[in-house]
Amino acid sequence: MVDLWFCLVCAMFAAYVVLDGYDLGAGIVSPFVARTDAERKAVVHTILPFWDGNEVFLVAGGATLYLAFPRLFPAFVSGFYLPVMMVLWLLALRGLGIEMRHKLDHPLWNELWDGAFFLSSALLVVFFGAALGNIVRGVSVDEHGDFFAPLWTDFRVGDDVGILDWYTLLVAAAAVVLVARHGALRLVVHAREEAPDVAARARTVAARLAIPSGILGVLVSIATFEVQPAVLSGVRARPWMAGFAVLAAVALGGSWALARRDRPERAFQASSAAIALLFGAACAGVHPYGMLARVGSRSVLAADAAADPYALGVGLAWWVPGMAAVVAYTAFAHRAAAARERRERV
């Protein structure tokens, strides 16, 4: 039951990374693919029906984590207090950047919220990437089992680490490139009717980011084995874990090949699979721990942080129908939008 809930928590956050990833990616590439006010408006229109619905998976992931692992949730929120507050403000700023743009038709007003949309999207991916890097690298847990991560210490990976160091910044850079390419691929698909020039530039951006995303992925994998021996030990004990990384590399290569063959829909789907598999590789690397510490003896096993079996069983009975409804609605919304775009092309 603990392993099942561990997988469900990872699945919730993986769904958020894939779905809200294309929203965030569109925000990151927006200054590079949209040159006029009408084109910037078209970029926003491609994500407007979905962005707030996609964020449901972030909330659901946090709620699932709290339900299944009640000892981990307060530790993470208190330990990462500063980045959590920054993420909340950035989420609010991105929402304002998307929704406030059409409230007033004035060049200065539009420039303000376009800038907020780009900046908040980029910084959110940086912080989410750094957060994932912290979870995989491990945090500085004291002898009482508590931790508080400062924004940085000396940027080296030792026993006393902050949120930002060379490793977490490398993970953040890889996240920005992968998510930016993900968003660009979606713009190729969904902006080609309303703004064909935006779609053409997005295709160019996606092509230019393909090789850097692969290189950064390899560098992050090598660096992970260097900074966190528990991941390497886990791969040796459970070789199937390497399958996530191998399949992610195949999906990323397939996305690049499909984009070159001018099949943007399939390229976007392959990009989604690659991102989900990379996130799965990170989760597999952390398992069976719920929280990795820089001092190995202070790491917390997921089984030790989980709720009691009865609570997990009751929670599953409520979680399954609730999330089934969320997934069904998300699929319906995306299918309805795709059908509407097909009718407009006709």
Side-chain angles (χ1 to χ4, degrees), residues 181 185 203 206-211 213 248-271 274:
R181 182 175 181 273
L185 286 172
R203 182 180 288 107
R208 290 177 177 175
L209 292 176
I211 293 177
S213 62
V250 171
L252 198 59
S255 176
W256 175 76
L258 289 165
R260 283 178 62 88
R261 295 176 185 176
D262 197 24
R263 299 180 65 183
E265 294 93 343
R266 296 300 184 187
F268 173 74
Q269 291 168 2
S271 174

Side-chain angles (χ1 to χ4, degrees), residues 10 36 50 96 98 127 136 144 148 161 175 195 201 219 232 241 244 288 299-300 340:
C10 292
T36 67
F50 310 112
L96 290 172
I98 294 171
F127 273 99
V136 174
H144 304 293
F148 176 80
V161 292
R201 295 187 200 109
L219 291 176
L232 183 58
M241 287 171 49
F244 283 99
S299 297
V300 179
R340 184 171 60 252

Side-chain angles (χ1 to χ4, degrees), residues 20-317:
D20 209 33
Y22 69 69
D23 296 343
L24 295 166
I28 293 171
V29 302
S30 59
F32 309 101
V33 301
R35 298 176 180 174
T36 67
D37 183 71
E39 289 178 347
R40 288 189 287 270
K41 186 182 295 185
V43 171
V44 174
H45 282 175
T46 63
I47 68 170
L48 198 58
F50 310 112
W51 73 271
D52 49 355
N54 291 339
E55 288 188 351
V56 168
F57 287 91
L58 178 62
V59 178
T64 304
L65 177 64
Y66 180 72
L67 188 156
F69 303 100
R71 297 172 184 84
L72 286 182
F73 186 86
F76 281 135
V77 172
S78 61
F80 293 127
Y81 180 80
L82 181 58
V84 166
M85 291 299 103
M86 290 181 173
V87 164
L88 290 176
W89 280 105
L90 288 170
L91 287 171
L93 181 61
R94 187 175 69 122
L96 290 172
I98 294 171
E99 296 291 345
M100 294 296 289
R101 192 185 194 282
H102 63 278
K103 300 297 184 182
L104 180 64
D105 187 16
H106 189 280
L108 183 59
W109 180 265
N110 293 339
E111 289 286 344
L112 171 65
W113 295 116
D114 288 338
F117 178 44
F118 163 72
L119 182 65
S120 59
S121 298
L123 289 178
L124 276 170
V125 177
V126 169
F127 273 99
F128 285 142
L132 181 62
N134 274 263
I135 292 171
V136 174
R137 178 209 60 195
V139 294
S140 299
V141 180
D142 62 24
E143 61 275 11
H144 304 293
D146 300 321
F147 80 96
F148 176 80
L151 194 55
W152 67 77
T153 53
D154 55 7
F155 287 93
R156 293 183 295 179
V157 180
D159 291 344
D160 185 20
V161 292
I163 296 163
L164 301 177
D165 54 37
W166 69 264
Y167 174 74
T168 58
L169 287 176
L170 179 63
V171 177
V176 169
V177 173
L178 283 167
V179 168
R181 182 175 181 273
H182 190 55
L185 286 172
R186 191 174 186 279
L187 286 175
V188 175
V189 178
H190 293 276
R192 55 189 172 185
E193 295 300 321
E194 184 178 356
D197 290 339
V198 169
R201 295 187 200 109
R203 182 180 288 107
T204 301
V205 169
R208 290 177 177 175
L209 292 176
I211 293 177
S213 62
I215 292 173
L216 285 168
V218 172
L219 291 176
V220 167
S221 299
I222 296 172
T224 298
F225 293 139
E226 176 67 25
V227 304
Q228 184 48 264
V231 175
L232 183 58
S233 300
V235 172
R236 288 172 175 169
R238 303 184 297 275
W240 56 264
M241 287 171 49
F244 283 99
V246 172
L247 290 174
V250 171
L252 198 59
S255 176
W256 175 76
L258 289 165
R260 283 178 62 88
R261 295 176 185 176
D262 197 24
R263 299 180 65 183
E265 294 93 343
R266 296 300 184 187
F268 173 74
Q269 291 168 2
S271 174
S272 300
I275 291 173
L277 286 165
L278 286 170
F279 191 85
C283 292
V286 172
H287 187 270
Y289 296 97
M291 183 172 66
L292 284 170
R294 293 303 301 158
V295 178
S297 61
R298 297 174 183 174
S299 297
V300 179
L301 289 168
D304 294 334
D308 63 79
Y310 175 78
L312 293 178
V314 173
L316 189 63

